[in-house]
Amino acid sequence: MGRIPYWNISYGLLIDAFALPAVALLVYGLYAHWKKIQHGKERVKPNLPPLPGKIGPVYIHALITKGILGSKIYRKIFTGIAHGFVFWGMVFLAIGTGLVMLNIYLKVPVFEGGFNRWFMSFFLDLAGLVALGGLIFLFMRRLFGPERLRQPKERLGFVPQICLLGFVIASGFYIEALRIAANGPDPYSFVGNFLAGFFPMGNNGLHRVLWWTHGLMAMAFIAYIPFSPMVHIALAPTNAALANPKPGTRMGVIDFSSFDDETAEEVPTLGCAKLTDFTRKRLLDYDSCLWCGRCHEVCPAASTGKSLSPKGVMVTLAEKLHSGGFDDEGLIDEVGMDAIFACTTCTACMEACPVCINQPKTILKFRQNLVMEQSRIPELMGKANNSLEQRQHPFFGTGSGPKDWCKGLDVPIFEKGETEYLLWIGCAPTYEERSQKIAQAMVEILQKANISFGILEESRCTGDPAKQMGNEFLFREIALQNVEEFSELGVKDIITLCPHCYNSFSRHYPPLGGEYNVIPHSVFLNELLEKGKIKIDKKNQSICYHDPCYLGRRNGFYDAPRAVLGKAGNCIEMQRHKNNSFCCGGGGGNYWAEEEGTRINRNRAKEAFETSADIVATACPFCLAMLTDGMKSVTDEQKVFDIAEIINVAMS
Ligand code: SF4
Ligand code: SF4
């Protein structure tokens, strides 16, 4: 016998009446979330052309891939599959329920022919089964799951919703089984048929009770969504769609002119100290956080015993948001100054976050407030800042002068209208002894390749360390000075030796009027090799490449350095590489930090050493210095070299 909708049920349509309050509660609950988020500031529009594929503030591609398809969840494959099972299973079950309504109200013949057999019977049984399987996995994971769910704090409230949904699906199967037991087999409803075997006589009373309970529990689940962590069904896709899909964090610019406006009623806050200082997008970040701990797990600071946990920061802010502490001035101290300055700005947390939260931006906003409003900064970082302010480079106490790195070399000076590339040396290769060899090697390579290049009369910093340490004011001063000099010299193409310089020029200079074609030296070397402008001999050596965070994760350059090194030897990989790479510990001003806990550079150097590679290569002066230092804890051999040094040796 075919399926009869509402078989054995009187007044079944009443369930639709219960749907109304359930949906009303859902809407009310979501509105309450929006009211909280509204305490944030409206987003400042960046002074940049809009990205293609964006409608209003919504990035369509990110909405579909990261928001709806949840592509980032699958980085943890089992958890990803379980989420996919539950989400898509429930989507198809909801479609099935909708089709039943169409049949009842509009007599659409969904219970006839092949559609009934394959979709309404077979496919919906399959959808229910995979959704239930996914829920069982997620339930077990809540009970016995990884530490990251509990560290530093666990989010409660998932289990009741998982149980409620599990009950709705399981009761749906039993209702089907009781109907089949009473009306005869339905060969395509394979789960219903199997379970019907346990009810040979049918049981109409039990069927009615289960039917009503199933319906009411489904309504309860819907109504409870916004008041439980299950609200991520709505918040996560929204957050993914509104997050800038460009990798890494862009801090934007502060309009300091508004601080001189004497007619303004209030002086704007520098950085952020309380929730109302943040934008609505940031508050949406805190509301969307799942407390899953994926960021905690990959954070170099958290995993080496420092005070920082990016998840912990998000949890503190989420709790403040939900308790209504929008103007609580104590927030910054609750998060903790040590935690705030322990961040290496490596963006591993951003990369790992399944709901596209920008944790480093929050941390850097706190830094800006501590440094520019409160003059609170760790001692060594403070010294680096002072050095930047007074000498235009952060290497206080260096024994090197500005011209020492190029002694014995005949390095051309950039000439307006004559020179093609500006070889930007930057502060580390000028003043840090080990990094000077990068600049020397690159000069030699460019001269052998007959490239038209020149350097500035006086090397200095891009201002990146100031920006990452929270001193936006100082960064702006230095950056504007560089922009002015570049425009006087007519600079268009820049080769950088340091990924921090590349990141600054390409990401933070355009809003200040500095638009250039910037090329990291590893990419330029690859071009030279590809065009045959330089030739190297491949040696029988194994090379393991450490991805600098500012080159790889922040700017997506993974292949070019590997292509270069692959021509000089055999590349092997560390366990954590490319977008999973582990920081050297030097970013975000932490080159000038006294670290608590295990030193990050030792951790990374050990990982590199354990590959048994002959050479550890990198493409960043900070990584070079940090790994060279870290390597001392495992071997006396000199193992770490910059990509330019390796190529220069391979050319001779
Ligand atoms: S940017 Fe890196 S160091 Fe900072 S919180 Fe994220 S993972 Fe941790
Ligand atoms: S910030 Fe992202 S990765 Fe970290 S706990 Fe929240 S949802 Fe998970």
Side-chain angles (χ1 to χ4, degrees):
M1 186 173 153
R3 179 159 164 197
I4 305 165
Y6 289 177
W7 168 81
N8 191 38
I9 303 297
S10 321
Y11 309 109
L13 293 179
L14 256 186
I15 207 75
D16 296 348
F18 285 111
L20 291 176
V23 172
L25 273 169
L26 174 76
V27 173
Y28 168 77
L30 292 176
Y31 178 68
H33 280 272
W34 165 234
K35 289 293 288 176
K36 285 178 188 163
I37 288 164
Q38 261 188 320
H39 283 88
K41 291 180 180 155
E42 280 189 57
R43 189 158 25 183
V44 183
K45 285 208 180 95
N47 184 18
L48 291 170
L51 288 180
K54 192 180 175 196
I55 297 179
V58 175
Y59 294 93
I60 302 298
H61 185 259
L63 170 67
I64 296 169
T65 54
K66 295 175 188 159
I68 297 169
L69 298 176
S71 55
K72 292 182 89 182
I73 300 176
Y74 291 91
R75 290 189 181 181
K76 299 268 179 207
I77 191 70
F78 293 117
T79 309
I81 290 173
H83 272 87
F85 275 11
V86 174
F87 178 73
W88 291 110
M90 290 312 298
V91 165
F92 282 106
L93 289 177
I95 291 171
T97 308
L99 290 173
V100 174
M101 304 313 298
L102 285 181
N103 176 269
I104 291 166
Y105 288 112
L106 302 174
K107 304 283 178 254
V108 177
V110 298
F111 292 117
E112 286 172 18
F115 187 76
N116 177 44
R117 284 196 299 277
W118 287 108
F119 187 79
M120 298 303 286
S121 300
F122 179 81
F123 192 76
L124 290 189
D125 264 23
L126 187 64
L129 203 60
V130 298
L132 199 56
L135 281 172
I136 291 169
F137 176 91
L138 295 178
F139 178 77
M140 300 305 285
R141 183 170 152 276
R142 280 284 141 196
L143 296 188
F144 310 107
E147 252 324 273
R148 66 185 162 81
L149 295 178
R150 279 173 277 282
Q151 283 302 333
K153 199 165 188 180
E154 184 170 9
R155 187 171 192 182
L156 304 174
F158 277 106
V159 171
Q161 280 289 65
I162 291 174
C163 292
L164 202 50
L165 201 52
F167 174 83
V168 170
I169 298 171
S171 59
F173 278 134
Y174 274 100
I175 293 162
E176 183 184 50
L178 288 161
R179 175 174 54 77
I180 288 172
N183 296 333
D186 182 348
Y188 291 81
S189 299
F190 64 100
V191 182
N193 272 342
F194 170 75
L195 291 176
F198 297 97
F199 305 100
M201 302 298 162
N203 187 332
N204 293 5
L206 178 62
H207 174 268
R208 262 195 297 275
V209 171
L210 267 183
W211 193 95
W212 280 106
T213 321
H214 167 85
L216 292 174
M217 288 296 126
M219 298 306 148
F221 174 79
I222 291 168
Y224 191 44
I225 285 173
F227 308 100
S228 74
M230 220 44 103
V231 71
H232 75 269
I233 302 168
L235 296 180
T238 314
N239 203 44
L242 298 178
N244 191 329
K246 251 186 117 177
T249 187
R250 197 183 59 220
M251 286 305 289
V253 289
I254 298 179
D255 179 9
F256 288 99
S257 63
S258 55
F259 293 81
D260 302 329
D261 181 359
E262 284 169 14
T263 56
E265 285 177 15
E266 246 181 274
V267 181
T269 316
L270 287 164
C272 298
K274 51 189 189 306
L275 282 179
T276 45
D277 296 333
F278 286 99
T279 60
R280 291 175 182 173
K281 174 61 183 68
R282 293 283 80 74
L283 300 199
L284 179 61
D285 273 359
Y286 316 144
D287 203 13
S288 306
C289 178
L290 304 162
W291 302 23
C292 68
R294 290 189 189 198
C295 55
H296 177 91
E297 197 175 56
V298 297
C299 175
S303 55
T304 52
K306 323 242 180 303
S307 318
L308 172 65
S309 157
K311 172 184 167 185
V313 175
M314 292 301 117
V315 168
T316 307
L317 290 157
E319 288 186 330
K320 196 61 76 186
L321 182 73
H322 296 308
S323 66
F326 306 108
D327 285 309
D328 188 342
E329 301 269 0
L331 181 61
I332 215 163
D333 287 321
E334 231 170 282
V335 172
M337 182 166 151
D338 286 347
I340 291 167
F341 281 103
C343 174
T344 65
T345 65
C346 67
T347 68
C349 49
M350 276 183 90
E351 186 70 32
C353 180
V355 293
C356 304
I357 287 170
N358 191 336
Q359 306 89 333
K361 192 153 186 173
T362 290
I363 294 169
L364 288 182
K365 285 280 168 193
F366 280 141
R367 272 189 196 180
Q368 288 181 344
N369 188 272
L370 282 167
V371 172
M372 292 189 288
E373 284 267 343
Q374 306 186 35
S375 301
R376 286 164 71 193
I377 186 168
E379 196 189 338
L380 292 182
M381 284 192 191
K383 283 188 178 175
N385 250 278
N386 290 343
S387 173
L388 252 172
E389 214 164 334
Q390 289 153 17
R391 292 180 283 272
Q392 300 201 309
H393 70 81
F395 289 85
F396 61 89
T398 178
S400 293
K403 303 275 182 216
D404 286 357
W405 72 270
C406 53
K407 269 188 195 149
L409 290 172
D410 184 17
V411 191
I413 300 294
F414 189 93
E415 305 245 3
K416 186 173 185 176
E418 299 286 323
T419 316
E420 187 177 357
Y421 293 100
L422 170 69
L423 178 65
W424 173 263
I425 305 299
C427 58
T430 305
Y431 295 102
E432 199 277 315
E433 224 172 283
R434 177 68 188 88
S435 307
Q436 289 172 346
K437 297 201 166 53
I438 305 174
Q440 290 157 1
M442 198 61 196
V443 164
E444 286 179 12
I445 295 169
L446 293 176
Q447 283 177 331
K448 285 179 208 164
N450 274 328
I451 301 297
S452 159
F453 78 98
I455 60 168
L456 292 184
E457 289 268 9
E458 208 174 293
S459 294
R460 53 171 176 269
C461 183
T462 55
D464 171 80
K467 186 165 186 101
Q468 305 305 335
M469 285 190 267
N471 196 342
E472 185 70 25
F473 188 75
L474 181 55
F475 166 77
R476 191 185 170 90
E477 254 185 20
I478 298 172
L480 286 174
Q481 197 183 338
N482 286 331
V483 169
E484 198 185 319
E485 183 168 357
F486 290 178
S487 88
E488 274 167 21
L489 286 172
V491 171
K492 290 194 184 77
D493 300 293
I494 306 175
I495 303 168
T496 53
L497 302 175
C498 172
H500 294 260
C501 300
Y502 173 83
N503 193 65
S504 271
F505 286 141
S506 60
R507 203 174 280 232
H508 301 131
Y509 275 47
L512 298 173
E515 294 265 7
Y516 315 104
N517 172 35
V518 196
I519 316 163
H521 75 312
S522 53
V523 176
F524 198 76
L525 288 173
N526 192 33
E527 281 175 18
L528 292 181
L529 283 164
E530 303 245 295
K531 289 179 187 157
K533 291 198 172 177
I534 54 173
K535 299 221 171 348
I536 57 171
D537 292 326
K538 186 165 179 162
K539 290 191 183 163
N540 186 18
Q541 59 184 356
S542 57
I543 306 174
C544 118
Y545 175 65
H546 162 80
D547 286 277
C549 304
Y550 274 62
L551 193 62
R553 208 158 27 230
R554 277 178 170 249
N555 290 294
F557 294 109
Y558 298 115
D559 297 336
R562 284 177 170 78
V564 172
L565 293 168
K567 292 187 178 86
N570 303 314
C571 282
I572 54 174
E573 297 287 2
M574 282 184 256
Q575 204 190 351
R576 291 184 281 191
H577 59 276
K578 294 192 172 173
N579 59 355
N580 281 327
S581 185
F582 192 68
C583 181
C584 71
N590 275 276
Y591 180 85
W592 298 275
E594 283 191 41
E595 287 186 45
E596 326 162 55
T598 315
R599 285 183 59 89
I600 296 170
N601 61 346
R602 289 192 184 171
N603 205 311
R604 186 58 170 168
K606 186 164 174 278
E607 209 171 321
F609 181 74
E610 281 167 0
T611 62
S612 305
D614 299 316
I615 287 180
V616 177
T618 188
C620 168
F622 287 94
C623 294
L624 182 70
M626 294 302 281
L627 292 180
T628 302
D629 177 61
M631 203 53 92
K632 288 180 192 151
S633 64
V634 275
T635 177
D636 292 332
E637 252 183 285
Q638 189 186 0
K639 281 224 170 217
V640 192
F641 297 91
D642 185 83
I643 194 164
E645 295 178 276
I646 295 169
I647 297 309
N648 196 28
V649 169
M651 280 172 77
S652 33

